Amino acid sequence: MPFDPARLAAIHAREADRYASARPLSAARARQGTAAAGGFFGGVPQHWMLDWPTPFPLVVAQAAGTRLVDLDGHHLTDLCLGDTGAMFGHAPPAIAAALTRQAQRGLTTMLPSQDGEAVAEGLTRLFGLPWWQMTLTASDANRFALRAARAITGRPRILVFDGCYHGAVDETAVELAPDGSTRAKPSLWGSAFDPAAATVCVPFNDLDAVEAALATGDIACVITEPALTNCGMVPPVPGFLDGLRAATRRTGTLLLIDETHTLSTGPGGWTAQAGLDPDIFVAGKAVAGGVPCAVWGFSHAVKAGIDRVRATLPGGHSGVGTTLSGSPLQLAALRASLDYLMVPSVYDRMITGAAALEQAVRTAVAGAGLDWSVVRIGARLETVFSPTVPRTAAQMRATFDHPVEAAIHLGLLNRGLLVTPFHNMLLAGPDLDPAAPRQLQDALAGILADLSGAATTRAPTPVPHVHDA
Ligand SMILES: Cc1ncc(COP(=O)(O)O)c(C=O)c1O
């Protein structure tokens, strides 16, 4: 840790006090939520909302583009964007208009709507795969795609990389134990089976380990992000993704590329930008502009496999599909996203903004005399507390410093910048205020100076309040 722990703790406590005293309305909500005899568990509709380093959750009054207003009237620049769900900005006008139109025609019917053909064609144009299915979440898409992979290949296991996250998908919730074996993540609740029995986990960027695992012949599918984004950000080393593709082809193993986060890379995600050729492709979160929606696409060969398997099975529950998936509401949003959001001009603005944020972080970090690095994948960037960019999750974990992260996150929030509670990720939406990078640079420089004891302690410039805006 580059900072004195006692000083760090004192700064965290001071920033937590500042946060709390500026938010009486949110504090009252939180008190009600936790004191009630029932209601939302933890006072929030989804328990992940308690992961922020704030003393109680920020209650959102309104979010549009990359601006967010909290219940107490503070205006914030949002660099978290719903942890990617709102990567193209909150409530993009094209999505809002499509939803309003579709609301006059029916929201869910369990039947196709007239947008279907245009959406399927648009997905193929953008991501390259010929066949598509829709789900509500990326977790669902991954779960269903892995089921299909096992059914087609007749093989029981999958391969994942240490540090991966692919959603609430039991068989992917594993990690490498210190002895090199695969184990269930210790934080997992109530699994119906031991995920380590269904999965082999190897280090990212380690082709030898991949080859050895695939040589067993019992791996149906390798599922991976093109760069790990859920364990800090670990990019692939040159040749790794090509080697992975070659090894999976040679062993008859399917390759599933999960672009739920790396959709930030550019139009078509990393797959289109780098010319990957996966058998199965998944994208969720932001793919329909913030409406709950994910897609999984697959090759002609995978389709032929699914057709063959289905022909051998009786009708009935397949374990794949949910009632609301592919609804007219989702189709309308996805069509608008294909037409107006996942297009080069929007990505150009996001990537220009992210490059400016990257420069701002680098300047603040260098000014504080720290040797941290920054990784950027298109519109998404991550600060790493080490001079070199890790090649594996184990190396990345060794850089983690949660108390420092939390103090920085709280400090930024008190200076008007909302960042994700998970590691040091920042996202640039298309309408990022051109003043935001400078705001970030100044805020981060102030916090780092404070942490290192180089600053004279002074209150941050107050976040603009809605009443005086
Ligand atoms: C790469 C990746 N895949 C899948 C998911 C699951 O997405 P969801 O929570 O929307 O199901 C996530 C969530 O963070 C993710 O990062």
Side-chain angles (χ1 to χ4, degrees):
M1 141 125 47
F3 308 115
D4 171 50
R7 183 173 183 82
L8 177 63
I11 288 171
H12 186 116
R14 188 196 68 208
E15 294 292 335
D17 280 350
R18 274 186 191 150
Y19 172 90
S21 57
R23 290 181 174 77
L25 298 177
S26 298
R29 279 279 165 99
R31 271 195 304 275
Q32 272 166 16
T34 48
F40 284 125
F41 166 70
V44 289
Q46 213 265 88
H47 73 100
W48 293 6
M49 294 173 185
L50 299 172
D51 285 350
W52 302 77
T54 50
F56 47 82
L58 193 77
V59 180
V60 179
Q62 200 182 320
T66 51
R67 303 292 292 172
L68 194 141
V69 183
D70 72 20
L71 185 64
D72 290 276
H74 303 281
H75 287 237
L76 300 166
T77 297
D78 190 354
L79 304 175
C80 166
L81 296 174
D83 192 28
T84 312
M87 186 175 77
F88 298 106
H90 293 288
I95 301 294
L99 296 183
T100 306
R101 261 195 319 275
Q102 191 57 44
Q104 315 303 313
R105 301 179 190 157
L107 301 177
T108 185
T109 53
M110 222 192 70
L111 284 168
S113 69
Q114 58 201 10
D115 288 322
E117 212 169 295
V119 166
E121 281 172 14
L123 290 170
T124 297
R125 235 186 346 266
L126 188 59
F127 299 120
L129 289 99
W131 299 99
W132 294 93
Q133 284 284 272
M134 291 171 66
T135 63
L136 285 179
T137 66
S139 299
D140 283 348
N142 282 327
R143 205 177 310 113
F144 300 156
L146 292 175
R147 263 191 121 90
R150 283 187 296 263
I152 294 168
T153 58
R155 299 177 181 180
R157 298 204 296 164
I158 62 162
L159 183 144
V160 302
F161 292 104
D162 187 33
C164 76
Y165 181 70
H166 297 288
V169 183
D170 276 349
E171 62 268 48
T172 64
V174 297
E175 64 183 20
L176 272 181
D179 67 359
S181 63
T182 300
R183 70 175 180 199
K185 288 188 179 169
S187 50
L188 204 58
W189 297 4
S191 299
F193 60 91
D194 178 5
T199 306
V200 55
C201 182
V202 301
F204 194 65
N205 280 325
D206 185 341
L207 270 183
D208 290 342
V210 170
E211 300 268 8
L214 297 190
T216 59
D218 66 352
I219 306 288
C221 184
V222 174
I223 174 172
T224 187
E225 296 182 89
L228 299 182
T229 68
N230 285 287
C231 181
M233 216 139 74
V234 182
V237 296
F240 176 67
L241 293 176
D242 287 343
L244 178 63
R245 180 66 280 196
T248 46
R249 282 232 168 83
R250 210 166 39 248
T251 54
T253 311
L254 297 173
L255 177 61
L256 189 170
I257 296 288
D258 177 356
E259 295 253 24
T260 296
H261 279 175
T262 50
L263 208 53
S264 66
T265 313
W270 193 300
T271 293
Q273 296 294 312
L276 304 183
D277 184 19
D279 302 295
I280 309 177
F281 170 97
V282 163
K285 293 201 180 183
V287 75
V291 169
C293 182
V295 293
W296 56 294
F298 39 96
S299 64
H300 290 298
V302 169
K303 176 189 178 287
I306 295 174
D307 287 343
R308 177 176 47 75
V309 167
R310 288 190 77 194
T312 66
L313 295 173
H317 294 151
S318 60
V320 173
T322 61
T323 312
L324 302 182
S325 305
S327 69
L329 176 82
Q330 285 184 309
L331 278 165
L334 192 47
R335 183 170 186 175
S337 173
L338 284 161
D339 287 346
Y340 298 104
L341 302 183
M342 295 191 286
V343 297
S345 58
V346 170
Y347 271 102
D348 284 350
R349 280 155 48 209
M350 291 161 67
I351 291 169
T352 301
L357 292 177
E358 177 185 352
Q359 194 49 50
V361 173
R362 287 187 187 281
T363 305
V365 164
L370 293 162
D371 58 359
W372 296 346
S373 32
V374 182
V375 185
R376 182 166 64 80
I377 296 176
R380 181 183 198 89
L381 60 137
E382 181 90 40
T383 306
V384 186
F385 297 158
S386 89
T388 49
V389 175
R391 293 166 55 108
T392 65
Q395 290 172 4
M396 183 60 93
R397 286 187 197 107
T399 72
F400 286 169
D401 191 329
H402 298 300
V404 171
E405 260 176 36
I408 292 175
H409 292 189
L410 254 180
L412 290 176
L413 186 42
N414 285 335
R415 290 157 179 82
L417 295 150
L418 183 69
V419 302
T420 177
F422 309 116
H423 35 97
N424 296 305
M425 188 275 283
L426 303 177
L427 269 173
D431 74 340
L432 184 73
D433 184 342
R438 185 63 205 221
Q439 185 191 1
L440 175 66
Q441 182 180 314
D442 292 346
L444 188 56
I447 295 163
L448 295 177
D450 204 1
L451 286 171
S452 61
T456 48
T457 305
R458 63 181 168 82
T461 313
V463 175
H465 200 269
V466 74
H467 305 304
D468 45 59

